[in-house]
C-alpha cells in the first residue's frame, strides 16, 4: 500500500469520525436539553408537593394551638396557632403561583380558600369564646360539627391536590428516565461505531506500515526490553565501550556507588569513576591499570568486594565483552551478610542447645536427687546447727547448679515459658525496692514510666529474672557507685528498623530499658556480650550466662533486645516484648505461708530414675498423700489398671524409656478416666508438651530439680477441688516387675 493510499485512508477515516461525532453530538445535545427541562418540571412538582404538605401541616398546627388554649386557657398555647394562621396565607399565595400553569390545581385552590377561611373563623370564634365566656362556651363551639366539617373539606381538597401533583410527578419522572435511556443508548451506539471505525483505520495503517518498518520495530522492541530489564535489576549495571567510556547504565549503578547525577552521562571515562569512588568512605573500583593488566585471562570475569562507610557490603563484578569493552555489575550484599550473621548466631545457639538438651535431663535428675534428699534430711534434723549449716551449703551449691542449667536452657530457648499479658506499670514498681536492697546504697535507682503503657506478652517470672540480671550486671559496672535507671515505654518498630535488623518483625512492642552510668564497653565487647560463657569479669566473679539468659528469654518470647554502650559513659539494654492483645492478668499476690499444703489423694509417680522417683515418693508420702510408683509408661499403665478407681493425680516424667512417652501416657490415662489430673516433671522439655517455647494450654509442669515446697504447692494446685478418698492416706509401695529403666 502506497503513501497516497494511506493518506486517502486517513482522510476518509477522519471524515467519517467527524460526521459521527457531529451527529451524535447534535442528537445528544437535543436530548440533554429535553432531559434538563423534564428535570426542572420534576423539581417544580416536588415544590408543589412540599408546599401543599406545609399548608396541611400549618392548618393542623393552628387547630392544635387552639385546642391547647381552650383546654388550659394559657396564652402561650396560642403561639403555634398564631404562627400557623400567619403561614396559611403565605402558603396559599405561594401555592397559587406554583400552580399557575395547571388550571385544575388552580380550581382546587380557589375551592380550598373558603374552607380554610371558614376553619380559621371557627378557630377564632372558639378562642374568643374561651376568653369571654370560659371553657364551657368554647367547648360548645368545639363540640359542634362545623369546625370538623370545614377541616375534613380542606383536608379532602389538599389530598386531591397531592394526588394530582404526585401523578404529574410520576409522569415527568418516567419521561425523564426515558429520555436519559435514549441518550445513553445514543452515546453507546455512537461510541461503538467510532471504536469500530478506529479499529478499521488502525488495521489499514498497520497493514500499510508493518512491512516497511518491521525491522525497525524489532530493534526498538529489543532495545526497550534490554532497557527495562536493566532498570528492573536490583543490581547496578554500567556498560563501558572499548575506549573505556560509559555507554549505558541504570539507576542502581548511581545509587550503589553514591554518584552525583551530573557525573552520569555518555562518554565519561572509567578513570573518573575510579578516582571518584577512591575517596575516603567510598568503595574503591579497580584502577585503569588493573582493568588493563589485572586479569591473566582477558575473557575471565573479575569479582571483588568492598564495604561502604555506612556498613553496606558491595560485590563488584567486571565482565569483558567481545568488542573490548566490559560490563560493570554492582550488587548490594548487605542483606546476605546480615542473614549470614543471623545464621551463624542460630548455628551457635543450636550447638549450645543440643549440648544443653543432651545433659540437662540427666544433670537435673542428679540435682533433684541431691536437693530432694538434702531437704528431706534437713526437715528431720532438729537441734544440730552445724549439720543444718552444712546441709544449707550443699543445698545452695546444688541450687546454683540448677540455676546454671536453667540459664543455659534460657539461652538455647529451650525453657518452657508460660506467657501471659503483663501490666508492666503494675509489676515493675514492686521490683524497685528489691533492687535497692540488692544493689546497695551506693547505687541510686530511678524508675521512669510512660503514661498509657501497653501490656506485654511474656512470662512474668522470667521477665523479672531478666531485669534482675541486667541490674546485677549494671551494679558490677559501677563499683564506685552510680545511677541505675529502669524505663518503661511503648515502641513501634517499623519496616525501616526491621530492614536493619533481620530478625525483627515490625509491630507494636512494650519496652523495658535498663541503663547505668558505669564504665561502658567497647564495640568489640558489645558484639560478644550475649555469647554464653563470655564475661569481662575476673575469674570466679561471673559465669557469663546472665546476658545470654536475657537474650534467650527475649528471643523465645518473640521480642528483640538491643544494647547501647560507650566507654566511660555507661550502658543501656533495651528489651522489646510483643504487645499483648486482650485482658491483662492480675499480678500474683505473694506471701509467706506458715506450712506446706498437705493432702490425702492418691498420686501415681512415674519416673525411670530410681533416685528421683524415691525422693518424689518420700516427699509426697511425708505430706500425707497415698503414693503409687512406676518405672516407665508401660509399668504405669499396669499400675493404673490395678488402681483404676483410686488414682487422683498422675505425676510423670516427660522423657520416659520404652514405647510409651510421658505425653502419650497422660493421654491414655485420661482417656480411661478424664477426671484424673496430670502433672509433668522434667529437667528438659521436649516438643510433646512445649511448642514454640511455650507450654501447651492446660499443661502443668514442675521443673527439675524442684524443692520440697515447689512440689507440694504444685501438686496441691493441680489437685485443687479433688475430694479426699474415704480411707486414710498412706504410702503403698508397689514394686515394679522389672528394675528401673536405663
Amino acid at each position: 500500500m502506497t503513501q497516497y493510499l494511506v493518506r486517502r485512508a486517513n482522510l476518509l477515516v477522519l471524515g467519517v469520525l467527524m460526521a459521527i461525532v457531529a451527529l451524535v453530538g447534535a442528537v445528544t445535545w437535543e436530548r440533554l436539553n429535553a432531559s434538563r427541562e423534564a428535570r426542572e418540571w420534576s423539581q417544580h412538582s416536588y415544590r408543589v408537593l412540599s408546599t401543599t404538605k406545609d399548608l396541611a401541616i400549618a392548618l393542623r398546627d393552628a387547630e392544635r394551638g387552639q385546642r391547647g388554649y381552650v383546654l388550659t386557657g394559657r396564652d402561650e398555647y396560642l403561639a403555634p396557632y398564631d404562627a400557623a394562621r400567619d403561614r396559611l396565607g403565605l402558603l396559599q399565595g405561594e401555592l397559587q403561583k406554583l400552580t399557575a400553569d395547571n388550571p385544575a390545581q388552580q380550581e382546587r385552590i380557589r375551592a380550598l380558600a373558603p374552607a380554610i377561611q371558614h376553619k380559621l373563623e371557627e378557630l377564632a370564634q372558639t378562642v374568643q369564646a374561651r376568653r369571654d365566656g370560659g371553657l364551657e362556651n368554647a367547648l360548645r363551639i368545639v363540640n359542634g360539627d362545623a369546625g370538623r366539617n370545614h377541616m375534613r373539606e380542606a383536608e379532602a381538597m389538599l389530598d386531591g391536590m397531592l394526588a394530582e401533583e404526585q401523578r404529574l410527578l410520576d409522569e415527568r419522572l418516567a419521561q425523564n428516565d426515558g429520555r436519559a435511556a435514549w441518550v445513553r443508548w445514543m452515546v453507546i451506539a455512537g461510541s461503538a461505531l467510532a471504536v469500530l471505525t478506529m479499529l478499521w483505520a488502525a488495521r489499514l495503517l498497520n497493514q500499510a506500515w508493518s512491512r516497511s518498518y518491521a525491522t525497525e520495530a524489532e530493534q526498538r522492541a529489543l532495545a526497550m526490553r534490554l532497557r527495562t530489564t536493566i532498570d528492573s535489576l536490583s543490581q547496578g549495571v554500567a556498560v563501558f565501550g572499548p575506549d573505556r567510556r560509559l555507554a549505558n547504565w541504570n539507576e542502581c549503578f548511581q545509587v550503589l556507588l553514591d554518584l552525583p547525577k551530573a557525573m552520569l552521562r555518555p562518554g565519561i571515562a572509567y578513570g573518573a569513576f575510579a578516582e571518584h569512588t577512591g575517596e575516603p568512605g567510598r568503595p574503591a573500583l579497580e584502577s585503569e591499570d588493573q582493568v588493563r593488566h589485572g586479569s591473566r585471562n582477558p575473557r575471565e570475569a573479575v569479582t571483588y568486594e568492598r564495604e561502604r562507610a555506612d556498613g553496606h557490603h558491595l560485590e563488584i563484578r567486571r565482565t569483558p565483552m567481545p568488542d573490548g569493552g566490559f560490563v560493570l555489575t554492582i550488587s548490594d550484599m548487605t542483606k546476605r551478610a546480615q542473614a549470614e550473621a543471623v545464621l551463624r548466631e542460630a548455628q551457635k545457639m543450636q550447638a549450645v542447645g543440643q549440648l544443653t538438651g543432651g545433659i540437662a535431663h540427666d544433670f537435673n535428675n542428679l540435682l533433684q536427687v541431691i536437693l530432694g534428699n538434702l531437704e528431706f534430711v534437713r526437715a528431720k534434723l532438729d537441734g544440730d546447727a552445724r549439720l543444718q549449716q552444712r546441709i544449707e551449703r550443699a543445698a545452695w551449691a546444688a541450687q546454683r547448679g540448677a540455676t546454671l542449667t536453667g540459664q543455659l536452657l534460657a539461652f538455647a530457648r529451650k525453657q518452657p515459658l508460660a506467657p501471659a499479658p503483663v501490666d508492666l506499670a503494675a509489676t515493675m514498681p514492686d521490683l524497685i525496692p528489691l533492687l535497692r536492697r540488692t544493689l546497695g546504697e551506693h547505687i541510686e535507682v530511678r524508675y521512669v514510666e510512660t503514661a498509657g503503657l501497653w501490656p506485654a506478652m511474656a512470662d512474668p517470672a522470667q521477665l523479672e529474672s531478666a531485669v534482675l540480671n541486667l541490674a546485677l550486671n549494671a551494679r558490677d559496672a559501677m563499683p564506685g557507685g552510680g545511677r541505675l535507671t529502669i524505663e518503661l515505654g511503648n515502641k513501634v518498630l517499623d519496616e525501616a528498623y526491621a530492614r536493619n535488623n533481620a530478625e525483627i518483625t515490625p509491630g507494636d512492642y512494650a519496652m523495658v530499658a535498663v541503663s547505668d552510668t558505669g564504665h561502658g564497653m567497647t564495640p568489640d565487647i558489645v558484639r560478644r556480650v550475649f555469647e554464653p560463657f563470655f564475661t569481662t569479669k575476673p575469674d570466679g566473679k561471673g559465669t557469663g550466662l546472665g546476658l545470654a539468659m536475657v537474650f534467650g528469654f527475649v528471643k523465645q518470647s518473640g521480642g528483640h533486645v538491643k544494647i547501647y554502650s560507650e566507654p566511660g559513659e555507661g550502658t543501656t539494654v533495651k528489651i522489646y516484648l510483643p504487645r499483648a492483645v486482650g485482658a491483662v492478668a492480675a499480678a500474683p499476690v505473694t506471701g509467706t505461708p506458715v506450712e506446706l499444703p498437705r493432702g490425702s489423694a492418691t498420686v501415681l509417680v512415674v519416673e525411670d530414675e530410681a533416685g528421683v522417683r524415691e525422693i518424689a515418693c518420700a516427699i509426697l508420702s511425708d505430706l500425707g498423700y497415698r503414693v503409687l510408683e512406676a518405672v516407665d509408661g508401660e509399668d504405669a499403665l499396669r499400675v493404673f489398671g490395678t488402681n483404676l478407681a483410686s488414682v487422683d493425680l498422675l505425676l510423670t516424667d516427660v522423657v520416659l524409656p520404652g514405647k510409651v512417652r510421658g505425653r502419650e501416657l497422660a493421654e491414655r490415662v485420661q482417656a480411661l478416666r478424664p477426671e484424673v489430673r496430670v502433672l509433668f516433671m522434667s529437667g528438659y522439655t521436649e516438643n510433646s508438651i512445649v511448642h514454640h517455647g511455650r507450654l501447651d494450654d492446660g499443661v502443668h509442669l514442675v521443673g527439675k530439680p524442684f524443692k520440697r515446697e515447689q512440689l507440694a504447692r504444685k501438686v496441691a494446685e493441680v489437685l485443687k477441688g479433688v475430694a479426699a478418698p474415704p480411707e486414710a492416706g498412706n504410702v503403698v509401695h508397689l514394686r515394679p516387675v522389672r528394675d528401673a529403666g536405663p
Side-chain angles (χ1 to χ4, degrees):
M1 186 179 290
T2 62
Q3 293 184 358
Y4 173 74
L5 292 178
V6 172
R7 284 197 297 271
R8 291 190 61 183
N10 289 338
L11 291 175
L12 177 62
V13 170
L14 181 62
V16 172
L17 285 176
M18 291 179 64
I20 292 173
V21 171
L23 178 62
V24 172
V27 175
T28 303
W29 180 262
E30 188 275 332
R31 293 290 89 189
L32 286 175
N33 286 335
S35 177
R36 185 185 305 109
E37 182 180 355
R39 185 167 60 252
E40 291 175 354
W41 278 110
S42 299
Q43 293 174 352
H44 175 268
S45 295
Y46 281 122
R47 289 195 295 272
V48 172
L49 287 172
S50 176
T51 305
T52 305
K53 292 177 181 178
D54 290 343
L55 183 61
I57 292 172
L59 190 59
R60 294 190 191 97
D61 288 345
E63 187 179 40
R64 189 181 302 110
Q66 177 251 8
R67 293 288 189 270
Y69 176 74
V70 167
L71 294 176
T72 62
R74 296 166 61 181
D75 290 341
E76 57 262 28
Y77 279 93
L78 290 177
Y81 164 76
D82 294 336
R85 185 187 57 192
D86 295 340
R87 287 186 62 211
L88 284 171
L90 295 175
L91 291 173
Q92 289 183 78
E94 183 178 356
L95 194 60
Q96 188 78 26
K97 289 190 294 183
L98 289 174
T99 58
D101 61 311
N102 192 331
Q105 294 288 58
Q106 288 282 305
E107 183 65 26
R108 289 188 180 90
I109 292 174
R110 284 193 292 271
L112 175 65
I116 293 177
Q117 184 62 35
H118 292 326
K119 180 61 181 177
L120 291 177
E121 290 175 357
E122 183 265 336
L123 294 176
Q125 290 175 2
T126 306
V127 170
Q128 190 62 41
R130 179 67 173 84
R131 285 175 178 168
D132 298 340
L135 178 62
E136 293 182 359
N137 291 337
L139 289 178
R140 190 176 300 111
I141 299 175
V142 171
N143 291 331
D145 294 334
R148 181 173 57 184
N149 292 336
H150 294 323
M151 190 65 178
R152 288 179 178 176
E153 182 181 359
E155 288 180 344
M157 293 180 182
L158 289 173
D159 290 341
M161 293 180 65
L162 288 173
E164 174 64 18
E165 201 62 38
Q166 184 65 45
R167 184 187 63 79
L168 291 175
L169 175 61
D170 293 339
E171 291 179 357
R172 289 164 181 171
L173 289 176
Q175 291 176 0
N176 191 19
D177 292 342
R179 289 167 180 169
W182 199 91
V183 170
R184 182 167 59 253
W185 283 112
M186 280 293 297
V187 171
I188 293 174
S191 301
L193 184 59
V195 169
L196 292 175
T197 304
M198 293 178 65
L199 291 175
W200 177 62
R203 182 174 178 273
L204 291 178
L205 292 176
N206 286 335
Q207 290 177 349
W209 294 100
S210 60
R211 294 181 181 178
S212 59
Y213 290 96
T215 304
E216 181 182 354
E218 289 178 2
Q219 292 177 349
R220 258 196 321 270
L222 178 60
M224 181 63 68
R225 285 196 295 269
L226 290 175
R227 181 75 256 177
T228 304
T229 301
I230 293 176
D231 288 339
S232 65
L233 294 176
S234 60
Q235 299 170 309
V237 178
V239 180
F240 292 86
D243 56 354
R244 297 183 182 83
R245 293 186 177 275
L246 183 64
N248 299 97
W249 68 93
N250 66 353
E251 184 179 356
C252 281
F253 179 75
Q254 174 203 344
V255 173
L256 292 178
L257 285 182
D258 194 17
L259 299 172
K261 285 188 176 181
M263 191 175 183
L264 291 169
R265 61 181 186 273
I268 296 295
Y270 171 80
F273 295 105
E275 181 181 356
H276 181 80
T277 57
E279 298 177 5
R282 298 180 183 273
L285 297 174
E286 294 176 296
S287 65
E288 287 193 275
D289 290 338
Q290 288 176 316
V291 172
R292 189 180 296 110
H293 308 294
S295 177
R296 297 179 180 178
N297 186 356
R299 299 181 181 179
E300 185 179 295
V302 177
T303 303
Y304 53 98
E305 294 185 0
R306 295 288 186 268
E307 184 175 355
R308 291 196 331 202
D310 58 2
H312 280 254
H313 295 263
L314 301 182
E315 181 183 82
I316 304 174
R317 181 182 179 89
R318 176 171 54 84
T319 306
M321 292 194 302
D323 62 355
F326 59 89
V327 178
L328 205 63
T329 306
I330 303 173
S331 304
D332 189 349
M333 311 303 293
T334 306
K335 289 188 177 180
R336 187 186 73 177
Q338 291 178 348
E340 289 175 350
V342 173
L343 178 61
R344 286 194 299 271
E345 189 69 26
Q347 290 173 340
K348 183 192 306 180
M349 185 175 298
Q350 183 180 8
V352 175
Q354 291 174 347
L355 173 64
T356 303
I359 67 172
H361 182 265
D362 293 336
F363 188 60
N364 279 328
N365 277 342
L366 296 175
L367 290 174
Q368 178 60 65
V369 175
I370 296 172
L371 275 174
N373 281 285
L374 287 174
E375 286 197 330
F376 196 78
V377 171
R378 182 174 56 186
K380 303 298 182 182
L381 285 178
D382 291 325
D384 195 334
R386 296 184 63 185
L387 284 178
Q388 287 280 1
Q389 185 178 10
R390 291 187 180 278
I391 290 176
E392 288 288 346
R393 290 179 180 177
W396 177 87
Q399 191 63 47
R400 180 62 175 164
T403 302
L404 294 178
T405 306
Q407 289 176 332
L408 280 173
L409 286 172
F411 171 75
R413 309 184 201 179
K414 294 184 180 295
Q415 59 178 346
L417 296 181
V422 178
D423 185 357
L424 297 177
T427 57
M428 279 298 161
D430 296 337
L431 189 60
I432 302 304
L434 173 62
L435 291 178
R436 289 195 173 101
R437 292 193 300 270
T438 304
L439 301 181
E441 297 181 354
H442 65 295
I443 294 179
E444 177 189 0
V445 179
R446 290 187 180 181
Y447 174 71
V448 181
E449 179 183 309
T450 303
L453 279 173
W454 295 331
M457 179 60 72
D459 188 313
Q462 294 294 336
L463 174 60
E464 182 176 331
S465 178
V467 174
L468 186 58
N469 267 306
L470 294 177
L472 294 177
N473 277 350
R475 178 196 63 185
D476 295 338
M478 299 182 291
R483 182 174 64 252
L484 175 75
T485 303
I486 296 180
E487 180 184 358
L488 306 180
N490 300 328
K491 294 295 180 182
V492 178
L493 303 184
D494 54 14
E495 295 285 352
Y497 187 87
R499 281 195 296 270
N500 296 326
N501 298 270
E503 74 281 7
I504 293 303
T505 301
D508 297 340
Y509 291 84
M511 182 201 71
V512 180
V514 180
S515 305
D516 65 65
T517 57
H519 48 64
M521 294 177 285
T522 62
D524 294 337
I525 295 178
V526 169
R527 281 193 289 268
R528 299 188 59 193
V529 290
F530 294 125
E531 295 181 6
F533 306 114
F534 175 78
T535 179
T536 58
K537 300 174 185 177
D539 292 341
K541 295 296 184 181
T543 62
L545 290 174
L547 288 178
M549 183 277 291
V550 174
F551 178 84
F553 155 68
V554 174
K555 292 299 180 183
Q556 189 176 350
S557 301
H560 173 57
V561 59
K562 197 74 173 178
I563 185 167
Y564 307 89
S565 185
E566 292 185 15
E569 297 295 330
T571 302
T572 297
V573 180
K574 292 185 177 181
I575 295 175
Y576 299 94
L577 296 171
R579 178 182 179 181
V581 179
V584 178
V589 179
T590 60
T592 305
V594 177
E595 60 180 11
L596 296 180
R598 302 178 63 85
S600 57
T602 300
V603 181
L604 173 56
V605 179
V606 187
E607 169 62 56
D608 61 299
E609 190 70 33
V612 177
R613 186 175 67 253
E614 179 185 354
I615 192 61
C617 291
I619 292 174
L620 292 174
S621 62
D622 191 54
L623 292 171
Y625 294 99
R626 179 174 179 263
V627 181
L628 308 174
E629 57 179 289
V631 298
D632 57 23
E634 297 175 355
D635 189 27
L637 290 175
R638 285 194 295 271
V639 174
F640 181 73
T642 307
N643 301 269
L644 183 64
S646 60
V647 175
D648 299 306
L649 172 68
L650 172 65
L651 175 61
T652 177
D653 193 4
V654 177
V655 181
L656 291 175
K659 297 180 180 179
V660 182
R661 312 286 280 180
R663 184 59 182 263
E664 183 183 355
L665 172 62
E667 291 173 353
R668 293 172 67 171
V669 166
Q670 289 190 322
L672 295 173
R673 279 190 60 209
E675 64 271 16
V676 175
R677 309 297 174 88
V678 178
L679 174 60
F680 292 99
M681 56 180 174
S682 182
Y684 168 64
T685 54
E686 56 181 3
N687 288 337
S688 59
I689 63 171
V690 176
H691 293 86
H692 306 293
R694 301 181 179 186
L695 281 174
D696 294 344
D697 293 338
V699 172
H700 299 282
L701 173 70
V702 57
K704 297 178 187 176
F706 48 78
K707 294 182 178 181
R708 183 170 180 267
E709 177 184 354
Q710 291 173 324
L711 180 61
R713 297 196 179 285
K714 197 65 180 179
V715 169
E717 175 189 342
V718 176
L719 282 173
K720 193 173 184 180
V722 176
E727 67 273 7
N730 219 336
V731 181
V732 177
H733 295 283
L734 297 179
R735 296 301 177 190
V737 177
R738 53 190 172 87
D739 272 314

